[in-house]
Amino acid sequence: MGKGQRSQPMYSNEIIEAPQDAGKLASSGVFQTVPASSSSLLGHNDIEYGSVAVSAPAETKVQTAPKELPHEKPHEVQDIPFFTLMTTYMSFLLLVVLAHFEDFFGKIFMPKQYVQVRVQNGYAPMVSDFESMWSRHVYARMRDCFNRPIGGVAGGHVELIDRVTHDYNKSFQFTGKLQNVLNLASYNYLGFAQSEGPCADKVEEAMREHGIAQASSRIETGCSKLLVETEEMVARFMGTEAAIIVSMGYATNSLTMPSLVSKGCLIISDELNHSSLIAGSRLSGAVIRVFRHNDTRDLEKQLRRSISQGQPRTHRPWKKIMVVVEGLYSMEGEFCNLHKLIEMRNKYKFYLFVDEAHSIGALGKRGRGICDHFNVDPREIDILMGTFTKSFGAAGGYIAGSKALIDHLR
């Protein structure tokens, strides 16, 4: 199965209509302009979390995409110098060696300090001395830089509670002072999950009018007007035909992927994909193959080998081939090579699944994720997944794509 990979519809046997014009998808624009003279810009909430609403009516701006989207390469991350890498690793190696040296002599001359890693009254220790060495000797020396307590909600800025230590980070005492700092260490990227202000007022108003939760599953009587409106807004924001909302971000991947692929299908996954993608791939029953992180050459080798050899034992053509990547890898801070992936998608006719859990709302000139960042038409990606927990300060996730895809998932 070569060029005919996508000859069979992925979701159903019905004909998929041509995508609507991008201008029509954004006909009821999502963003509003904020007057520079608005008094809300001077409020404490706007200073801490950023402006999220205005009291006066604002003119709506419709975001329309150009007919042709030229390829714009983002600024590449500067490579770390070899000397910096070596000195960093050597520093950690030195800490480990000194920790072993200290443990060896400490058990001989200061046994009371190592009671927690020795057998006591016939009971084995919770962790061995080797397993706890990192936390006792390496992490403990820099513990004052981590697990910083905050006062209030983690928004765009946070109030750090100052603390001091007089026993080399074994214990801390609070000074009673607060320090306002920029937050780069948690979710709620845009500050929408604030405890007071226009967002909190709207949530309280909606809860009083509509209640806290639905009394039934959506397939029965749990579908509300607000849910339908939110899905339509997500589709407009993403520039796709339709979208569906799932109540849990992890389940958005783990429970929808088995609906897309099954036995006789192939999933080719980046080796650093999130555990929810791994769980969904395993639950699907499809064959899973892994390519090296962000290595499109290795991916192409996997594709060529898989297409030419077909399924194991029978060598029949794969029913579907789906490549799964993340738009922004949170632990590495790296983007996927989206332009190359789309080029390969058009060449080998596989389906492309992009997880935008960390990129949506945080990347792009309009905050519309990896497609906006790379100036790529979102309709060139088959499945766009994202969550509301990182940038939007809410719960759940979404799948955006063609109408046929969303109807199939529903």
Side-chain angles (χ1 to χ4, degrees):
M1 178 185 58
K3 296 291 185 178
Q5 282 290 334
R6 302 180 61 202
S7 58
Q8 175 189 359
M10 183 176 186
Y11 321 110
S12 65
N13 292 326
E14 59 188 51
I15 299 176
I16 301 177
E17 298 179 357
Q20 301 177 9
D21 182 72
K24 295 181 180 179
L25 293 175
S27 57
S28 54
V30 179
F31 297 108
Q32 290 182 329
T33 57
V34 181
S37 59
S38 174
S39 60
S40 65
L41 296 176
L42 302 178
H44 170 75
N45 292 328
D46 295 326
I47 295 176
E48 183 172 358
Y49 303 107
S51 178
V52 295
V54 293
S55 56
E59 179 184 357
T60 301
K61 295 181 67 178
V62 178
Q63 302 289 347
T64 58
K67 293 183 178 180
E68 295 184 1
L69 297 174
H71 288 187
E72 291 184 359
K73 293 184 179 180
H75 297 291
E76 296 182 357
V77 179
Q78 184 179 2
D79 293 334
I80 301 176
F82 179 76
F83 178 77
T84 303
L85 284 173
M86 287 301 300
T87 52
T88 302
Y89 284 118
M90 290 300 295
S91 299
F92 278 104
L93 180 61
L94 179 61
L95 284 173
V96 172
V97 172
L98 291 177
H100 279 292
F101 186 80
E102 183 177 347
D103 278 353
F104 178 79
F105 288 100
K107 292 176 182 178
I108 299 175
F109 298 105
M110 296 177 291
K112 293 184 179 180
Q113 297 185 11
Y114 291 86
V115 174
Q116 72 277 11
V117 294
R118 293 180 179 274
V119 177
Q120 301 182 53
N121 300 324
Y123 292 96
M126 294 295 294
V127 292
S128 67
D129 55 350
F130 180 78
E131 291 173 337
S132 62
M133 183 191 65
W134 172 268
S135 60
R136 290 185 292 107
H137 293 285
V138 181
Y139 173 71
R141 297 178 185 274
M142 51 185 178
R143 194 158 67 97
D144 57 328
C145 301
F146 299 93
N147 298 331
R148 302 290 298 275
I150 63 174
V153 178
H157 290 73
V158 293
E159 298 284 347
L160 282 184
I161 302 177
D162 285 345
R163 58 184 182 176
V164 295
T165 178
H166 302 288
D167 53 6
Y168 301 101
N169 297 337
K170 292 182 179 179
S171 63
F172 294 93
Q173 293 79 39
F174 295 116
T175 64
K177 298 180 180 179
L178 298 176
Q179 183 180 5
N180 186 274
V181 297
L182 181 66
N183 179 24
L184 299 175
S186 69
Y187 292 166
N188 192 22
Y189 299 156
L190 304 179
F192 289 150
Q194 55 197 47
S195 57
E196 58 182 6
C199 285
D201 295 340
K202 286 292 184 180
V203 170
E204 184 178 356
E205 179 182 342
M207 289 172 60
R208 294 182 183 278
E209 180 179 354
H210 303 282
I212 298 177
Q214 302 296 331
S216 174
S217 63
R218 188 174 182 184
I219 198 172
E220 295 178 350
T221 61
C223 186
S224 66
K225 179 182 178 182
L226 285 178
L227 188 58
V228 174
E229 291 177 351
T230 305
E231 289 180 340
E232 293 175 351
M233 182 183 66
V234 170
R236 292 196 306 269
F237 184 74
M238 296 304 301
T240 59
E241 293 180 356
I244 186 172
I245 290 177
V246 183
S247 59
M248 181 181 178
Y250 191 99
T252 307
N253 281 331
S254 61
L255 298 184
T256 57
M257 290 185 70
S259 300
L260 300 176
V261 290
S262 57
K263 186 177 180 180
C265 301
L266 173 65
I267 295 176
I268 305 180
S269 177
D270 189 288
E271 65 179 354
L272 297 184
N273 277 342
H274 189 262
S275 61
S276 60
L277 294 171
I278 298 173
S281 301
R282 291 174 176 174
L283 288 172
S284 69
V287 176
I288 305 171
R289 290 176 182 167
V290 179
F291 67 96
R292 289 194 293 269
H293 174 58
N294 256 353
D295 191 339
T296 53
R297 291 184 179 180
D298 187 48
L299 171 60
E300 188 164 16
K301 290 180 182 178
Q302 296 272 12
L303 283 167
R304 294 173 69 90
R305 185 184 305 112
S306 300
I307 293 173
S308 62
Q309 296 181 0
Q311 299 184 39
R313 294 190 298 274
T314 63
H315 300 289
R316 293 178 180 176
W318 298 100
K319 294 179 180 178
K320 303 163 192 171
I321 296 179
M322 186 167 71
V323 174
V324 182
V325 297
E326 294 187 34
L328 173 62
Y329 295 87
S330 60
M331 301 303 294
E332 292 74 29
E334 298 175 353
F335 306 123
C336 67
N337 192 345
L338 191 59
H339 286 304
K340 184 63 177 179
L341 288 171
I342 292 177
E343 179 184 334
M344 294 173 63
R345 166 188 175 269
N346 296 331
K347 179 180 179 181
Y348 294 103
K349 309 302 179 183
F350 59 79
Y351 294 93
L352 182 58
F353 186 112
V354 178
D355 183 333
E356 289 212 84
H358 292 274
S359 56
I360 188 64
L363 292 180
K365 298 177 181 178
R366 300 172 295 174
R368 301 190 180 189
I370 195 70
C371 293
D372 193 17
H373 180 72
F374 282 103
N375 200 22
V376 168
D377 189 340
R379 291 168 294 185
E380 294 191 58
I381 300 175
D382 300 288
I383 306 105
L384 283 167
M385 175 270 174
T387 62
F388 301 118
T389 54
K390 280 74 175 179
S391 293
F392 304 114
Y398 67 86
I399 296 288
S402 66
K403 187 177 183 300
L405 164 68
I406 304 306
D407 289 344
H408 171 78
L409 292 176
R410 287 197 175 111

